[in-house]
């Protein structure tokens, strides 16, 4: 609850009822309806899973599964978690990215995650010769949800969320989700099929945001800041080991694009000192301003409704 005349410092109001029930965007509400409708179709017509979920052994004739699988939730808890996560995360990111960019992000992460899961299943089949990897239906929106958490890590890294009585900074949430998913999958075999979806969702969303997302303010692509490196997902003591490995993929993925961007900015191929941290600070400031504005609007709405009720009471 907010008290006092001035709004509190920017934070994610996880425990606020008004934040939970208000401010959902049309895009996220539309996608939530799609998730619910597809779930109902799968429950009413179980054979629909064969055509909508990702079954690696049948993906070649049913290639659309690489897109539809992400929107198929086969369980009631799954569809509830997916809808709630989509509405909450989308409400944070869409004001900062815009509807077009958010829909593009969801499509890219969903498709690339399904493609990686498909390739992984084929490789595991050839290694083990077990047909379970070819014909187990794989589906779920968890890859996109994990990707949205990476977007929050990028834009609002220092914002705190209240999770089970603990305050955790947003930048650690994707790593925590990955760790919990790995740990739980060892004990609950039915959840093993969700593990690659979650992990590839985190990784593919980071690749897109790190190297390919177009920045409207500069016209360049990606986020080269030190605060958004691959090793930033891990504790600091592991970074000396991970940075050399990550640099190999960095050169493969963005070596050419970095040279073209540099030619567009200056004649020299080197970047300006401190430009990475300046860009990261700008992203954080935009996120904080958006949260402050949202909190101020909610506070004004609450005060307006209180004033209206008081006026009505006086008339009575």
């Amino acid at each position: 609850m907010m008290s006092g005349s001035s709004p509190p410092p920017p934070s994610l109001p996880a425990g606020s009822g008004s934040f939970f029930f208000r401010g959902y965007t049309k895009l996220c509400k539309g996608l939530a309806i799609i998730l619910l409708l597809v779930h109902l179709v799968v429950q009413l017509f179980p054979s629909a899973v064969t055509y909508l979920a990702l079954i690696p052994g049948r993906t070649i004739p049913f290639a659309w599964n690489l897109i539809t699988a992400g929107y198929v939730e086969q369980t009631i808890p799954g569809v509830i978690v997916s809808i709630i996560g989509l509405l909450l995360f989308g409400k944070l990111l869409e004001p900062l990215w815009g509807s077009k960019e958010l829909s593009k992000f969801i499509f890219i992460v969903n498709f690339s995650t399904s493609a990686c899961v498909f390739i992984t299943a084929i490789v595991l089949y050839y290694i083990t010769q077990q047909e379970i990897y070819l014909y187990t239906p794989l589906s779920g929106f968890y890859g996109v949800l994990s990707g949205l958490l990476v977007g929050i890590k990028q834009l609002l890294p220092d914002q705190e969320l209240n999770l089970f009585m603990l305050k955790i900074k947003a930048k650690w949430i994707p790593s925590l989700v990955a760790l919990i998913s790995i740990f739980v999958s060892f004990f609950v075999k039915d959840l093993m099929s969700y593990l690659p979806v979650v992990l590839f969702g985190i990784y593919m969303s980071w690749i897109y945001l790190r190297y390919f997302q177009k920045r409207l303010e500069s016209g360049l692509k990606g986020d080269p800041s030190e605060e958004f490196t691959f090793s930033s997902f891990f504790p600091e003591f592991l970074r000396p080991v991970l940075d050399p490995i990550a640099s190999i993929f960095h050169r493969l993925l963005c070596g050419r694009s970095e040279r073209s961007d540099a030619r567009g900015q200056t004649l020299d191929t080197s970047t300006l000192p401190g430009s990475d941290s300046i860009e990261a600070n700008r992203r954080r400031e935009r996120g904080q301003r958006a949260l402050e504005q949202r909190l101020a609007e909610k506070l004004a709405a609450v005060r307006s409704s209180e004033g209206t009720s008081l006026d009505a009471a006086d008339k009575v």
Side-chain angles (χ1 to χ4, degrees):
M1 296 295 292
M2 293 178 292
S3 61
S5 58
S6 59
S11 61
L12 295 178
S16 172
S18 61
F19 179 82
F20 186 85
F21 290 107
R22 299 181 184 178
Y24 301 127
T25 63
K26 291 183 179 179
L27 172 63
C28 293
K29 287 189 288 188
L31 289 175
I33 292 174
I34 291 175
L35 288 172
L36 179 60
L37 291 178
V38 173
H39 172 72
L40 293 176
V41 169
V42 169
Q43 295 300 312
L44 295 174
F45 307 99
S47 61
V49 174
T50 305
Y51 301 96
L52 297 177
L54 176 63
I55 302 177
R58 300 174 180 174
T59 299
I60 298 303
F62 301 154
W64 60 81
N65 292 346
L66 295 174
I67 298 175
T68 60
Y71 300 97
V72 178
E73 287 293 350
Q74 301 182 47
T75 64
I76 295 178
V79 74
I80 292 175
V81 171
S82 295
I83 289 176
I84 293 176
L86 170 64
L87 293 175
L88 291 178
F89 303 157
K91 182 164 59 174
L92 289 173
L93 292 175
E94 187 167 349
L96 306 177
W97 283 350
S99 299
K100 182 179 179 180
E101 175 57 33
L102 180 60
S103 59
K104 179 182 177 182
F105 174 84
I106 291 175
F107 176 82
I108 291 175
V109 173
N110 178 46
F111 178 79
S112 59
T113 298
S114 295
C116 290
V117 171
F118 167 73
I119 294 172
T120 302
I122 297 298
V123 171
L124 288 175
Y125 167 72
Y126 280 108
I127 292 175
T128 64
Q129 294 297 308
Q130 296 183 16
E131 293 189 351
I132 188 175
Y133 294 111
L134 289 182
Y135 298 107
T136 299
L138 304 172
S139 63
F141 201 66
Y142 301 112
V144 175
L145 291 182
S146 302
L148 294 175
L149 287 175
V150 176
I152 295 174
K153 166 187 168 64
Q154 179 198 36
L155 296 176
L156 306 167
D158 296 322
Q159 303 303 322
E160 290 185 340
L161 295 102
N162 293 320
L163 298 178
F164 305 107
M165 307 298 291
L166 297 176
K167 288 187 176 181
I168 303 176
K169 288 188 176 182
K171 64 182 179 181
W172 295 117
I173 300 299
S175 306
L176 185 62
V177 168
L179 181 62
I180 293 175
S181 300
I182 294 173
F183 178 79
V184 172
S185 65
F186 282 109
F187 299 96
V188 184
K189 297 302 181 181
D190 293 339
L191 298 181
M192 180 66 73
S193 60
Y194 294 104
L195 180 61
V197 177
V198 172
L199 297 182
F200 281 124
I202 292 174
Y203 188 64
M204 299 310 297
S205 61
W206 174 79
I207 287 179
Y208 172 72
L209 295 174
R210 177 72 170 174
Y211 301 116
F212 300 108
Q213 185 186 49
K214 188 173 182 180
R215 291 174 283 169
L216 298 178
E217 66 276 6
S218 63
L220 302 178
K221 292 182 178 180
D223 181 359
S225 63
E226 290 295 326
E227 293 83 359
F228 198 57
T229 59
F230 179 71
S231 60
S232 68
F233 288 82
F234 299 88
E236 192 167 352
F237 69 91
L238 293 176
R239 295 179 185 179
V241 179
L242 295 171
D243 282 336
I245 300 175
S247 65
I248 299 174
F249 294 96
H250 178 82
R251 287 193 294 269
L252 293 175
L253 288 170
C254 67
R256 182 178 300 178
S257 62
E258 277 187 337
R259 289 192 292 271
S260 62
D261 286 347
R263 286 196 295 269
Q265 297 178 74
T266 61
L267 293 177
D268 185 14
T269 57
S270 61
T271 58
L272 296 176
S275 60
D276 293 354
S277 59
I278 292 174
E279 175 62 27
N281 289 332
R282 287 176 179 173
R283 291 177 181 271
R284 282 193 290 269
E285 289 173 0
R286 287 199 305 273
Q288 291 174 352
R289 285 197 298 268
L291 283 173
E292 287 177 340
Q293 181 180 0
R294 192 179 300 117
L295 288 171
E297 290 174 354
K298 296 182 188 309
L299 182 60
V302 171
R303 288 176 175 174
S304 176
S305 62
E306 289 177 350
T308 303
S309 62
L310 288 175
D311 291 341
D314 292 339
K315 290 180 180 179
V316 174

